[in-house]
Amino acid sequence: VFLFGFSAFTLADPAPDDPARLATIMICYVALTLTCMFLFGARCWLRQAEFLSILMAQFGKMALIGRCSQQLYIGWPSWRLAKRTEMRSGMSIFILVLLGTGSFDGFNETFFWLDLIGINPLEFPGRSAVVIPVITGLISSNLILITLFVLMIVIGDRAVNGKTDFTRLLKKFAPTILPIALAYHTAHYLPSLLTDGQYVLIALNDPLGTGVNLLGLEGYYVTTGFFNHRETVRLIWLSQASVIVFGHVIAVILAHAVSVEFYGNSRKGFCAGLPLGIFMVLYTWLGLWLLASPKGG
């Protein structure tokens, strides 16, 4: 719920970057978090409800290095996800919504989407004119993704004469989506990081506006000139595409490893995981299409 609310605010609010509005939202969220930590316990709230903590914890499970039985181990990316037990149903939905909201964020900017909701991308009327379509699209995209994902894992299970309940399959295979979610978020928000990160550095250089020069950036101005040169744009795009492809490759390998472990042998695991693998490959095409499509709005 918090993740969806955050996504709806950033995508549908008419002015999510307005300092006063953003400060109000953040103050309210911090107050809510501190209150709930007091009522339910800090560890309980941060591990089960505070979406940013949960998000970072899940992404952290894809690290090359991890602890197991009080010893440090190193392996291929996401190896810890392949060895973990089934997660809670709520966490499974959280992971799928994470991918769904990130994907819609990219789709929301395409000419195809704007044409779909009757907006001329070259004469964008403003964010306030598309609040309802954006929220509707955000809900629909997540429902479609969850439905397709469940359908793929159930088809795979039935293909090997399995009778596993779809909720158990969802809890087992949802973590395999995490590499795709991380890759897409990294690629999609890279241009924003390159621009907005400069504002962060300027703010850190003089956080209280007292004239100090902590980072030696006095007189530095934010630039977006790297978007005006063919070679730098090519480098940024190829970096984004590489991240997306690498994330999907890891996800397909992870899904196969989980499937083999779940069904007990390589042949059965391959057959059961084939629909999900095809789904992931098609999602790769979608991610690259979103990356290359003209943007508007």
Side-chain angles (χ1 to χ4, degrees):
V1 171
F2 285 127
L3 173 62
F4 185 85
F6 174 79
S7 301
F9 170 72
T10 57
L11 293 177
D13 189 87
D17 294 332
D18 177 71
R21 188 191 299 262
L22 186 59
T24 300
I25 294 293
M26 292 307 301
I27 289 173
C28 292
Y29 186 73
V30 169
L32 173 64
T33 301
L34 293 176
T35 301
C36 292
M37 288 171 63
F38 174 77
L39 294 175
F40 303 107
R43 183 179 178 86
C44 177
W45 184 257
L46 294 179
R47 296 189 65 172
Q48 299 186 41
E50 204 286 302
F51 79 98
L52 291 174
S53 299
I54 297 172
L55 174 64
M56 293 299 105
Q58 294 302 314
F59 282 163
K61 291 181 173 63
M62 290 185 284
L64 298 176
I65 300 175
R67 182 181 295 275
C68 183
S69 300
Q70 303 304 315
Q71 293 184 344
L72 289 178
Y73 292 88
I74 186 170
W76 51 283
S78 303
W79 65 270
R80 294 171 64 194
L81 293 174
K83 294 181 176 297
R84 69 175 297 168
T85 57
E86 298 171 12
M87 58 171 48
R88 301 190 306 272
S89 298
M91 188 66 72
S92 304
I93 299 299
F94 176 85
I95 292 173
L96 293 174
V97 170
L98 176 64
L99 177 60
T101 54
S103 300
F104 180 75
D105 193 355
F107 183 68
N108 179 53
E109 300 172 347
T110 63
F111 281 18
F112 180 86
W113 165 256
L114 293 174
D115 180 65
L116 193 64
I117 61 176
I119 298 295
N120 184 346
L122 302 180
E123 298 179 359
F124 189 69
R127 290 170 63 100
S128 59
V130 295
V131 172
I132 300 301
V134 168
I135 293 179
T136 303
L138 184 60
I139 295 173
S140 301
S141 62
N142 280 285
L143 291 177
I144 291 173
L145 174 62
I146 294 172
T147 301
L148 288 176
F149 186 84
V150 171
L151 183 62
M152 292 301 103
I153 57 179
V154 169
I155 290 176
D157 181 72
R158 301 303 184 263
V160 294
N161 298 319
K163 297 181 180 180
T164 310
D165 184 74
F166 81 91
T167 55
R168 187 185 177 196
L169 292 172
L170 181 62
K171 291 187 287 185
K172 190 67 179 179
F173 286 95
T176 63
I177 288 292
L178 271 173
I180 298 178
L182 177 59
Y184 190 77
H185 276 72
T186 302
H188 180 66
Y189 295 110
L190 178 59
S192 297
L193 176 64
L194 294 175
T195 303
D196 296 336
Q198 297 177 69
Y199 288 104
V200 173
L201 290 176
I202 291 176
L204 293 175
N205 188 59
D206 185 12
L208 301 179
T210 58
V212 298
N213 188 25
L214 299 178
L215 303 179
L217 297 177
E218 185 177 4
Y220 178 84
Y221 294 96
V222 174
T223 177
T224 57
F226 43 81
F227 292 129
N228 299 327
H229 299 282
R230 182 182 181 89
E231 291 307 316
T232 52
V233 171
R234 183 197 302 272
L235 179 61
I236 292 172
W237 192 91
L238 289 176
S239 299
Q240 294 173 292
S242 299
V243 168
I244 288 178
V245 172
F246 180 73
H248 281 76
V249 169
I250 293 298
V252 171
I253 295 174
L254 177 60
H256 177 68
V258 171
S259 185
V260 170
E261 184 272 335
F262 185 74
Y263 288 100
N265 64 74
S266 298
R267 180 181 177 84
K268 196 172 182 179
F270 173 80
C271 293
L274 189 58
L276 181 57
I278 294 174
F279 171 78
M280 289 179 171
V281 171
L282 293 177
Y283 216 95
T284 307
W285 291 356
L286 173 63
L288 294 176
W289 177 78
L290 291 176
L291 189 62
S293 294
K295 302 296 191 296

